[in-house]
Amino acid sequence: MQRIQDKLQNNKKLLSIYFTAGYPSLEDTVPILESLQENGVDMVEIGLPFSDPLADGPTIQASGTQALKNGMTTTLLFEQLKDIRKTVSIPLIIMGYFNPVLQYGVENFCKKCQEIGIDGLILPDLPLAEYKEHYKPIFEKYGLSNTFLITPQTSEERIKQLDNASDGFIYMVSSASVTGSQSGFGNAQMDYFTRIKNMNLNNPQIVGFGISNTETFKAATTHAKGAIIGSAFIKILTEKGLNGISDFVKSIR
Amino acid sequence: MNYNVNEKGYYGEFGGAYIPEMLYPNVEELRQQYLEIMASPEFQEEFQDLLREYVGRPTPLYFAKRLSEKYNTKIYLKREDLCHTGAHKVNNTIGQILMAQRLGKKRIIAETGAGQHGVATATVCALMGLECIVYMGAIDIERQAPNVARMKMLGATVVPATSGSKTLKDATNEAIRDWINNPTDTHYIIGSVVGPHPYPDMVARFQSVISEEITIQLEEKEGRTNPDFVVACVGGGSNAAGAYYHFLNKPEVGIIAVEAAGKGIHTGESAATSALGKTGIIHGSKTLLMQTDDGQITEPYSISAGLDYPGVGPMHAHLFTSGRGEFISVTDEKAMTAGLELSKLEGIIPAIETSHALAIFETRKFKKDDVVVVNLSGRGDKDLNTYIAYFNL
């Protein structure tokens, strides 16, 4: 968790990348992480693939389906990451759906994350009320930050609740959409970014969904601390493999 | 114990709303308003009027004399197959379209497996003049061509779900994604007692007209409001929830759920969730579902397209784990045989889903004076091709 806090103290705008573990090839997880750090990415969301990813668009879903076909599992991901802190020092977050975590055992999962040096989790379908009632003490015990999502439709009152339950950053979903479906930001989104900024939340905001290039990265980070790129990065992996990482990351900043 | 939903949206440990934040405002809006809207006299008047004049309710509670003689017990059939569109599904879509109107929604989305819920949704959208988009697995679209044509005739747009296994669970994922992308003007009409709270409870309440009528009709015919047993097939479980509803908290009424064993529970081609499932999260609800050890949801199999869902509604998960419900599964073969038997003994060709419930009589014995109500959830017209192929008719 401290690694996330340190990054957020940093003055610059943060570039965070999401990718699906086990895609394009099963053993790509570690090489991708090393390459992202080498190319100056500030933080990474490692996607734990799920059979039924209902908040994701076709790009991320297809990468998850392929990763599962390749043989990715929770146990294997932890195995791949066991020595990751020997080479990678940027904050690492696991992002996935709640069911695979539930089957692994929430406490076992969190314990394993701590052993490896994972800094936090993003589980979009773990509801606030359930988290507070059952899981918050476990996350805290193992030093994991938990990040909640907000959207343009989230009420001000609920944003405050989510902010209070967060430690680290707020994941600000740019628009009402699944991942990978936006091509740019209009006035409505810029108004939303401004509105959230003016709420002066406890936690800094990082924008996700719809960031695909330098224009959208700059627009998103005008008012927010950073931005997350997912689908656009996975498309690069699909087209160019790991060789495409360097040029892509450089093109954003 | 109480078998209805509690104030937090749970049935025992099952239920809840495990949804991404993008869906929260829509689901929360519904949660806050559904009970009040359903309770309003104006809503009830329109709902009851449509059930009577449009759906054709009440449906008969028919004493099946020849079937009763064969199995030496008293068998009543609740004739949901006589509802407009051919199954119980329309009870829920009528209720939800009226709900959607009161929530100010202009656009309706739905998922469908076999197409029955899609047809029932397209029907009520035509009736109310609302736009209708139905998500259906690409494989199901091929398997269920007549229902696809019916939806199109009714003015609906049928969108193929091409992700994952291209069947019902993927159609449900696509419908949920549509709802995420259209958060203000759209209502999602879920077709079963599944999904995030309040859907399981709302759908059960709309379907509860089935058990409400059973109590009244049984009083007329047998001088008692409670049967000894009420039997229904369970996929997601909406017809079962409706048939059990008024008997849930009456322990003297035996609740029997019949699941699809497919080719056999341990063949790897089955949909018997109570036998094969573990607690997990599917489509926003904590319930029993079929999954790998790693928590990936698996694809079920049944000859009946309406029963091959990898989970059951949270109400049913609770009925099973608490022991309140007796869960039995029957194979394709037993179900098909029971469907043919009802056709020959009573002149009623049932949907293959319903045939599973009817197979109970070859599986389990009842006493001579037991009153057993079977929910005849749908008619078999849609399944003729499957019956033809299976029996070489």
Side-chain angles (χ1 to χ4, degrees), chain B residues 305-379:
Chain B
L307 298 182
D308 63 354
Y309 183 70
V312 292
M315 173 200 281
H316 300 300
H318 186 223
L319 291 175
F320 174 70
T321 56
S322 65
R324 172 69 182 96
E326 181 180 340
F327 280 64
I328 288 171
S329 62
V330 304
T331 58
D332 290 353
E333 187 186 353
K334 281 190 176 173
M336 295 301 276
T337 306
L340 189 61
E341 180 181 79
L342 187 77
S343 308
K344 292 196 187 302
L345 283 181
E346 299 288 349
I348 300 169
I349 300 175
I352 297 173
E353 291 81 6
T354 314
S355 298
H356 284 74
L358 293 161
I360 190 71
F361 298 108
E362 283 293 339
T363 312
R364 186 195 188 287
K365 293 285 165 260
F366 295 93
K367 292 202 282 273
K368 187 174 179 8
D369 54 359
D370 278 344
V371 171
V372 182
V373 174
V374 179
N375 195 29
L376 204 78
S377 55
R379 57 177 174 246

Side-chain angles (χ1 to χ4, degrees), chain B residues 129-149:
Chain B
L130 290 179
E131 183 186 2
C132 180
I133 295 109
V134 179
Y135 290 89
M136 188 169 184
I139 290 176
D140 289 333
I141 286 180
E142 281 174 34
R143 292 196 288 205
Q144 308 286 339
N147 271 344
V148 176

Side-chain angles (χ1 to χ4, degrees), chain A residues 177-203:
Chain A
S177 69
V178 294
T179 55
S181 54
Q182 298 290 310
S183 55
F185 295 132
N187 289 339
Q189 278 147 338
M190 296 312 286
D191 289 349
Y192 159 60
F193 296 160
T194 312
R195 174 165 63 87
I196 302 300
K197 183 191 167 68
N198 291 340
M199 282 184 74
N200 291 315
L201 301 176
N202 302 325
N203 295 278

Side-chain angles (χ1 to χ4, degrees), chain B residues 97-350:
Chain B
I97 199 94
L98 297 179
M99 181 70 63
Q101 286 180 323
R102 279 149 187 83
L103 294 169
K105 307 294 182 181
K106 306 286 178 224
R107 182 174 173 274
I108 299 297
I109 56 173
E111 85 296 336
T112 196
Q116 290 304 103
H117 173 59
V119 168
T121 304
T123 298
V124 297
C125 287
L127 180 68
M128 299 298 175
L130 290 179
E131 183 186 2
C132 180
I133 295 109
V134 179
Y135 290 89
M136 188 169 184
I139 290 176
D140 289 333
I141 286 180
E142 281 174 34
R143 292 196 288 205
Q144 308 286 339
N147 271 344
V148 176
R150 289 168 82 192
M151 286 185 270
K152 287 181 178 167
M153 281 186 75
L154 293 160
T157 305
V158 181
V159 181
T162 56
S163 62
S165 52
K166 302 178 182 145
T167 57
L168 175 58
K169 82 180 172 80
D170 306 285
T172 308
N173 292 336
E174 293 298 336
I176 291 172
R177 289 184 184 122
D178 180 306
W179 211 19
I180 289 173
N181 288 330
N182 297 282
T184 51
D185 65 341
T186 299
H187 177 73
Y188 177 18
I189 299 190
I190 296 183
S192 192
V193 285
V194 302
H197 178 68
Y199 275 102
D201 183 50
M202 180 174 69
V203 176
R205 284 168 188 264
F206 286 138
Q207 292 293 359
S208 71
V209 64
I210 299 171
S211 57
E212 187 183 355
E213 288 175 6
I214 291 173
T215 60
I216 297 164
Q217 292 165 323
L218 212 53
E219 172 88 69
E220 290 165 4
K221 290 171 198 293
E222 291 283 335
R224 53 192 278 195
T225 53
N226 293 343
D228 294 297
F229 295 94
V230 54
V231 181
C233 60
V234 172
S238 69
N239 94 79
Y244 303 157
Y245 196 87
H246 285 77
F247 309 118
L248 285 172
N249 298 313
K250 292 181 176 166
E252 63 273 27
V253 180
I255 284 176
I256 299 178
V258 185
E259 291 184 301
K263 293 180 180 170
I265 288 178
H266 299 295
T267 60
E269 292 185 82
S270 177
T273 304
S274 67
L276 298 168
K278 285 186 301 181
T279 301
I281 311 288
I282 182 169
H283 298 137
S285 178
K286 184 187 267 188
T287 188
L288 292 173
L289 63 128
M290 292 165 55
Q291 53 184 317
T292 66
D293 291 342
D294 204 39
Q296 308 296 340
I297 299 170
T298 54
E299 187 61 19
Y301 163 81
S302 164
I303 194 167
S304 152
L307 298 182
D308 63 354
Y309 183 70
V312 292
M315 173 200 281
H316 300 300
H318 186 223
L319 291 175
F320 174 70
T321 56
S322 65
R324 172 69 182 96
E326 181 180 340
F327 280 64
I328 288 171
S329 62
V330 304
T331 58
D332 290 353
E333 187 186 353
K334 281 190 176 173
M336 295 301 276
T337 306
L340 189 61
E341 180 181 79
L342 187 77
S343 308
K344 292 196 187 302
L345 283 181
E346 299 288 349
I348 300 169
I349 300 175

Side-chain angles (χ1 to χ4, degrees), chain A residues 51-241:
Chain A
S51 55
D52 295 76
L54 41 80
D56 286 303
T59 304
I60 291 180
Q61 176 164 27
S63 70
T65 304
Q66 185 61 44
L68 292 173
K69 268 189 202 149
N70 292 345
M72 184 47 76
T73 64
T74 309
T75 307
L76 180 61
L77 176 61
F78 286 144
E79 179 63 26
Q80 289 179 344
L81 294 176
K82 70 178 180 351
D83 292 325
I84 196 67
R85 285 305 180 194
K86 290 181 180 164
T87 53
V88 174
S89 60
I90 56 175
L92 299 178
I93 292 166
I94 291 183
M95 183 165 182
Y97 291 82
F98 189 43
N99 195 48
V101 178
L102 198 60
Q103 300 314 314
Y104 195 88
V106 177
E107 174 133 22
N108 285 343
F109 192 95
C110 291
K111 186 163 178 264
K112 201 77 194 172
C113 285
Q114 186 189 43
E115 281 169 24
I116 289 165
I118 296 294
D119 301 290
L121 299 179
I122 307 176
L123 303 168
D125 61 344
L126 173 59
L128 176 64
E130 296 295 329
Y131 172 71
K132 288 208 290 203
E133 198 173 325
H134 300 293
Y135 303 116
K136 193 165 191 281
I138 302 176
F139 277 55
E140 284 171 352
K141 181 176 171 189
Y142 296 103
L144 297 170
S145 82
N146 182 35
T147 295
F148 287 103
L149 278 58
I150 62 170
T151 81
Q153 276 72 39
T154 311
S155 70
E156 211 158 280
E157 185 194 343
R158 186 161 167 88
I159 290 175
K160 285 177 187 159
Q161 290 170 5
L162 293 164
D163 185 38
N164 285 334
S166 295
D167 36 28
F169 62 93
I170 300 272
Y171 192 128
M172 194 162 128
V173 177
S174 67
S175 52
S177 69
V178 294
T179 55
S181 54
Q182 298 290 310
S183 55
F185 295 132
N187 289 339
Q189 278 147 338
M190 296 312 286
D191 289 349
Y192 159 60
F193 296 160
T194 312
R195 174 165 63 87
I196 302 300
K197 183 191 167 68
N198 291 340
M199 282 184 74
N200 291 315
L201 301 176
N202 302 325
N203 295 278
Q205 302 93 53
I206 297 193
V207 181
F209 292 43
I211 325 290
S212 58
N213 52 30
T214 188
E215 289 76 32
T216 42
F217 179 77
K218 284 193 177 121
T221 53
T222 309
H223 300 296
K225 179 66 191 164
I228 302 171
I229 301 181
S231 299
F233 179 71
I234 287 169
K235 278 183 191 153
I236 293 294
L237 290 178
T238 306
E239 287 162 17
K240 300 180 179 163

